[in-house]
Structures are given as C-alpha cells and as structure tokens.
Amino acid sequence: MSKAKPSLPKGTRDFGPEVSAKRNYIIDVIKRNFKRYGFSQLETPSMENLSTLTGKYGEEGDQLLFKILNSGDFLSKTNEEDYRTGSKSITPKISEKGLRYDLTVPFARYVVMHQNDIAFPFKRFQIQPVWRADRPQKGRYREFYQCDADIIGSRSNWNEVELALLIQDVFKDLRLEDVVIKVNHREILFALAGYVGLNDNKVGFCAELDKLDKVGADTVMGKLTEMGGDQNKIQEVMELIGSPVTDIDSLENVVEKVKTIDPENQGISEASNFFKSVKRTARSNVPFEIDLSLARGLSYYTGMIFEVKPTSVQMGSICGGGRYDDLTGIFGLPDISGVGISFGLDRIYDVLEELNLFHSDISQPLQVLVVHQAGDSGEQNFEHSQQLVTELRTQEIDSELYPDPVKIQKQFKYADKIKVPYVIVVGDEERESKTYSLKNMVSGEQQKLPLNELIKSLQG
Amino acid sequence: MSKAKPSLPKGTRDFGPEVSAKRNYIIDVIKRNFKRYGFSQLETPSMENLSTLTGKYGEEGDQLLFKILNSGDFLSKTNEEDYRTGSKSITPKISEKGLRYDLTVPFARYVVMHQNDIAFPFKRFQIQPVWRADRPQKGRYREFYQCDADIIGSRSNWNEVELALLIQDVFKDLRLEDVVIKVNHREILFALAGYVGLNDNKVGFCAELDKLDKVGADTVMGKLTEMGGDQNKIQEVMELIGSPVTDIDSLENVVEKVKTIDPENQGISEASNFFKSVKRTARSNVPFEIDLSLARGLSYYTGMIFEVKPTSVQMGSICGGGRYDDLTGIFGLPDISGVGISFGLDRIYDVLEELNLFHSDISQPLQVLVVHQAGDSGEQNFEHSQQLVTELRTQEIDSELYPDPVKIQKQFKYADKIKVPYVIVVGDEERESKTYSLKNMVSGEQQKLPLNELIKSLQG
C-alpha cells in the first residue's frame, strides 16, 4: 500500500459541496424544461463495445476514445507478432470496450436495439458524463457532462421550433438572457456553395466557413477561391454572410436575398416558417439571429442547425444542435430522421460564474445548524438539541446538529466555515424556557422564539 | 463502418424512460433525506489513478478493477521481455488509470487532498456509479450505483444514531417498511472471540460468523473449533447469536448477557446508548434488531455496524455501513474516524418492484398529449394546438404536442403506447369554441372544458 500523496488523473475534477450544488442547479433547470416539453429520460451504460463506438467520430475521434483493458489474462489472445506490429494492431485483441464519447451514438444504438418497443416520435433526454482523451486545457476536460434532447421519427418542422423554445426557456430560467440563439440551415449553405461554383464540394465549403471566426474572412475567401470557386460570387456571398441579423423582420430580407440564388431552396422556406412559428409561440425574449456563417462541423446535419453563444462573455458555443436525416443508418436501421440539441454543462457553469448569476442560496443548501452549550448540563442540552433537530427535520427544515460536546465558540467557528445561514443555540436557559435563540449568520440578527414561531420563521 | 447488430457489454444495462423514472424516484428519496440531515454532495471523477485504487480492496478487488488503456502508443513504454512475462507484469506499463470500484476510496482521497479546506465534522453524500469486473449474474452488474453518506472527523456516537434515523426515514418515505435494520458492534464480536479463546484471530472469527446465513450453524461451529476455540463456549456463544431480538427492552437482556463475558466492553455501552437515543428520537417504526451474527465482511469497521434486510422478500442486504477508525491512513492522513452508510440502488429497486411499491404515476411522468384533427382546417388546428401546448407549459403542466399531421386515430394509438394519462383533442369545434375535450386515458372519461378550467383540472 503506497502512502504517496494522492492525486487526480489529468483533465478530471472533483466537485465539492459548493460546486456540486451549482452544477445541480443547472442540471435541474435543464431537466425541468426537458420534462416540461415532454421528453423522457434515457440512461445508457458508461461502457460500450468498441464495435459500437469505433468509426463513428472520424479517425481523430477514434484516437480520443478511452479503451478498457480486457479483464484477466488479456495477452492470451495475442502473439509476439501482434506485439511487434505495435499498439494500434494489438489494441483490438486486448480491449473490447470503451467509455462513451458522446450521447448520440449510444442513443442510436438504443433505438436500433429497441426499435420494436419504441413509440415514434420518440422524445428522449439524456444527462450523463462523456469521456474524451483530449489534451486537457482550460475549459476542456477528459470527463464532462452532456445534456441532450432529441425527437426522432418525425420530420415535422414543429420539432425544430419546440427545441428553439426549449432553449429560450432554459436560458430564461437560468437568468442568462445575454445570449443569442444563432440558427442556419444546411440547405442554404449548400445553395451558397452551388452559387459560388462548389456544388461538388459542399461539405468542404461548410468546413471552411466554420473557421470564419478563427481565421477571418480573407483567409476563408482565399481558400474557397483555391478550391475553385468564382471570386466575385465568393465576395458577394461573404458580404451576405458577414451581416447577421437579429430582428425577425430583417431576417425576411436575408431570406429574400438567398431566394434570388435558389428560389426553390427548402432551407429558405423551412427557416422562414421556423421564424413565423417562433414569433407566434415564444415565451421569452431570448433573441434569435440567422447567422449564415454558422456551419456546425459535424457532417450528419442536414437541415436547421442551432448554436447558442453568450454575448457578454468571451466563450464558444454553450448549446448546439440540428436536424439530421439518418441517425441509425450506421447500425443498419435507415431513414430515422430527427432533431436534437445538446447543452454544455461545464461552459454554462463558467458563464454563470463569470456573470455572477448563481444565487447565494444555491451554494448554501444547509439551512440550520443547532449548537449546544457544554458545562454541567451539557448532556441535557445535547439531548434537548437532538429532540429539536429531529423536530426541524420532521418539518422539512434541512438541519444539522453539531455532534461533539465542545465549547460553543468552536461550534460557531464551524458554522462560519460551512457558511450556514442560521444557527440555533440550545443552552440551559433555552432548554428550560423552550425558547430558542435563532441567529441569522448573514445579518448577525438574533431572536428568541418559542418552537412553533422558530419553525414558522425558518419555513418562511 | 460495421452494420452488425449492436449490443451492450455484458453486465451493463440501458434504462429506458419507465425504469429511469423509477430509479430517479428512489434516488430523490435518498437524496432528499441526505439533505434533510445536513449532508452536502460530493462528486468525484469516474477514473482514478491506479495508484489510488490498487491495494485497497484486497487481491480479489484488484482483479475486479476495470483498467483503462493509456492513450496513444501505449506499447512504447514496454519491451518484449514485459510482453513475455505476461498480462500481470505488463499492466502497470500500459495502464495508469482505472474506473472507481466504490465511493469510499475516492472519498478518502478527496479528504486527504482537501484536508486544509474541509470543515470537520464533514458530512458528505455521494450518489454515483461504480464499476466491477465481476462475473455478471442475476442482480449483479458491472456498473451499478452506490448512494453513500459519511460523517467524518467526529467520534460522537450521536452520528451512528443520526445515520440509523436517516435509514428509517428513507425506508419510510419509500413505503418499504417491511425491513429490519440489523445492528451489531465489532467490539462485542471481538469480546465473543476472546471468550471462546480466539483472541488472536478476531477477524477470522468475524469472517466465519459472516457465513452463518449461507453455511449454517454446525459448519460455523466446526470451523471455530478447528481454529482452536473452546467447544462448549462456542456452543454457548452460538446460542446467544442465534436469537436475534427485535424488542428494544429485550435488547437490554442481550446486553446484560454479553456483560457477563466482558463487563468493560465498549461495544456494549455504545450499543446500549445507541438504542436509548434511537428510542428517544425515532420518527418512524421501522424496526431495529441487534443481530450478534452480523459481522460485515470489510475489515476496516471498528465500532457499530448496520445492515438492512427486507423481511418479506428473499434478498441480501439493501443498505449497510458502520464506524471506522482510520479512513485516510492509507493515504498518509491517520486518525480520521467516521461512520458511513451505503444504499444499494439496484437491490432496493428490485424489492420495490417485487412488492409493487412504485406508484403508477412514477413511471408515467408526461401529463398531457395534445392531438389535433387533420383535414381542411388541419393547419389551423395544428397552429391552435401549438398555442395551447405553449400555454400548458407556461402553467407548469408537462405536455407534448403530436408533431405530425396524421389521422387522429394514429395520434391516439401513440397516446396509448406512451401511456399518457391525459389527452386533449383540438378539432374545428374546439378551436372555434375554445373549449377543449380532455380525455382521461385511464378511466376513459371525457369532458369539454374552457381553457382556464382545463388548466385547473390538470393542475389539481
């Protein structure tokens, strides 16, 4: 047994009481809204067979999978030739399972395995950690939570609207209204690709566009020209792309412009209907913006795409998603269309922290600490405190009793350290009169109250 | 990309909507009570360094650890000699991390790493999955949840009482009152070991006793005799052990008997005080029983030990715990005493299922499905439904709108399949009169209600 100073694996974190409470607050808001919109929970195991995971995230993704060593004598399925050929070729023989990389592939696997029991449209949410063997850096972890909601088995564009309203509700409930919900449509991007003469490299066009924020317009234009696009038309498209519009009426103008390029474009009519529906049903003012430069790296999106960015903090997207046509084709079940979104818990946490949007009572969940006077009647005071704390708990008041017979100053020191908002003192006087001293630890105010008033005061 | 039929790794499970809802119900009850008693949440990462995990669970435990293959070219730190020596010797060179095996060792690691920031006594709870490469069998999984609460840094025996009361509250709230909370004290067991002449093999004595349920009294007596115990005294002790007592007053008799063996035994006075305190403060009738055969396999317990067993279902323990003297000595921080309990989510689930103790509304979380009549005014009905569902959600009524314009019969078929308790129909008539048909899907009853009454009816 080593007694070395213990440490955490790189890129992983402990969440102590205060951080846990804040994370739970975010999760509860997201979960509350997932349920409000009729999504049901799914949980999948942390481990999946590597045959399920491999090949779904591109070559880079495969390298970022955490692989689990087979149990027992794992080398028994290998020979020296495998060893000499190297890590890559020996891996499949010593590892059959991996930790999930996202929640989408396990969801697709679940749908295929339960296709006969599931009632479509299937609205599922899933809030679980995922693991990636990425190089750890600020804001990027090897274990982090995704909060996903998907509606599959329905092509109705009302689903996109519902997810947009849900996004609005989540950020409204988090009081994080300094965000913008950027939307775009892959068909519009594909039309623009065709307009500049890159019809046969639409995905490449989107990939270049996706870098606009990082590399700037000139570099993107250069790249698109290199790829064979028409320089004047690229210029024209970049101007259109460069001017995001936040007002719903002026969005119609963008739509009109794109219509001149491709009048039959499905993306245009879908985006236009999307805004009409949102305008009709929105429950909050969290703003939308059509951003034609929004491309979303993932190749499987085929329709509307979303991304949420905070406007008053420097931070990447904190939520994203879109419509896909073929969730489960990779597992042999074709034509399952759907639309999904994913909230990034860790980034939302960082934004709320930076903007000071956590209420102080989120991180101070414990309501009351009961402290008791030592001395000649210490034992009696302690027993009296035990009755009191039991009564408080019966009244649904979360409470703690200092468990050791130490000086009351030491108990108050503990109260300060755990930042408990209220302390009740039980001394000889309080025990005999059954009237308790309730101290508000924030204001310093102190009151003497009989039990029923004490409880009322704490419940109020 | 393989299109093979996807499957789950052995010993792991998906939890669909219904099972997830039931599991959450149990977790919520446990969590609610952890908070009621003043415990704060801790979350630790799924992965720990193998140096943290190895050697803490005995040799068998080490073999059950899931180990994670190092990223990249993991063989680069090995040579052919390592390969030839075999799996066991190559493991430390290709794997540095593992999945946590329980919540206790990560908790101990956390305490040591944060010893200067933690306010002692530290009351933490932790509800997270753990992983063991056990042979999967009925009721035994490779990924399962533990729900732990520990109070550390306090030797006060009030902590044992609080945990016992907490256990009572959890099972009362789950309406699972057909359980017995068995308690014992390791010091009493050690005294009995001394009495039969096995003072130098107390732990062996406990280990044999732990098998009583499985192998029967005769086998245990034989073993203890073989180990060098006095046959007559063993007989005497086994008679004492064989008669568990459920009535608090008769527990005193057991205490008296044990006192004749070892009058100064600390276990006896602690157990006796425990029952007095519980009698004074218990908020429910979930029964206690001193069971002198209760030994708890784990070697680190030093004081009171607990185990909860259901009485009307054949099932092992569904909760267990006890007092330990040295949580963090393994990491170089000695003398941290504490007491903890752990609820087994999966077994509690199985017991509740078998006794039919899940309310029907736990597994039917979605309250309302809005369906809409197709036909000439289908579009208008659908838009009207969109407004309606938005209003329901504003009123905190969880609701879903069927997203596609299909025949109403098909929408009702979906309602049946997802077992939604209420359906609201929006047809031409309803849209024009703003009076909606609300159908109770359980009773079949149907009412026509204006919006405000509809909402009241659903909120009631």
Side-chain angles (χ1 to χ4, degrees), chain B residues 62 130 168 176 184 264 297 309 415-416 422 434:
Chain B
D62 283 353
V130 302
Q168 279 194 314
L176 177 58
N184 198 5
E264 297 298 311
K309 284 202 174 176
D416 282 334
Y422 290 100
K434 291 190 178 166

Side-chain angles (χ1 to χ4, degrees), chain B residues 31-98:
Chain B
K31 200 168 168 178
R32 175 74 207 94
N33 279 292
F34 284 168
K35 287 183 175 176
R36 188 201 302 275
Y37 281 78
F39 290 86
S40 317
Q41 188 161 12
L42 172 68
E43 290 176 273
T44 64
S46 307
M47 296 179 222
E48 295 278 353
N49 290 321
L50 281 176
S51 57
T52 300
L53 300 175
T54 311
K56 310 304 187 294
Y57 308 102
E59 202 171 322
E60 198 201 355
D62 283 353
Q63 282 167 13
L64 299 184
L65 291 173
F66 277 112
K67 298 171 189 80
I68 293 162
L69 205 51
N70 291 345
S71 304
D73 185 11
F74 54 86
L75 285 182
S76 65
K77 286 185 190 165
T78 69
N79 56 45
E80 290 208 18
E81 181 57 27
D82 295 320
Y83 177 80
R84 278 188 223 106
T85 323
S87 299
K88 214 164 174 180
S89 76
I90 207 172
T91 302
K93 300 194 172 175
I94 62 173
S95 169
E96 281 157 15
K97 291 185 289 288

Side-chain angles (χ1 to χ4, degrees), chain A residues 133-173:
Chain A
D134 240 329
R135 209 166 54 85
Q137 58 187 70
K138 194 179 174 298
R140 193 192 284 167
Y141 305 102
R142 292 185 149 190
E143 174 174 49
F144 59 97
Y145 266 68
Q146 289 189 334
C147 312
D148 283 20
D150 289 79
I151 307 160
I152 61 157
S154 162
R155 292 185 186 274
S156 165
N157 292 125
W158 171 249
N159 297 316
E160 280 87 333
V161 178
E162 286 223 334
L163 288 178
L165 298 177
L166 193 161
I167 291 172
Q168 278 194 316
D169 281 355
V170 164
F171 289 108
K172 185 180 137 218
D173 288 354

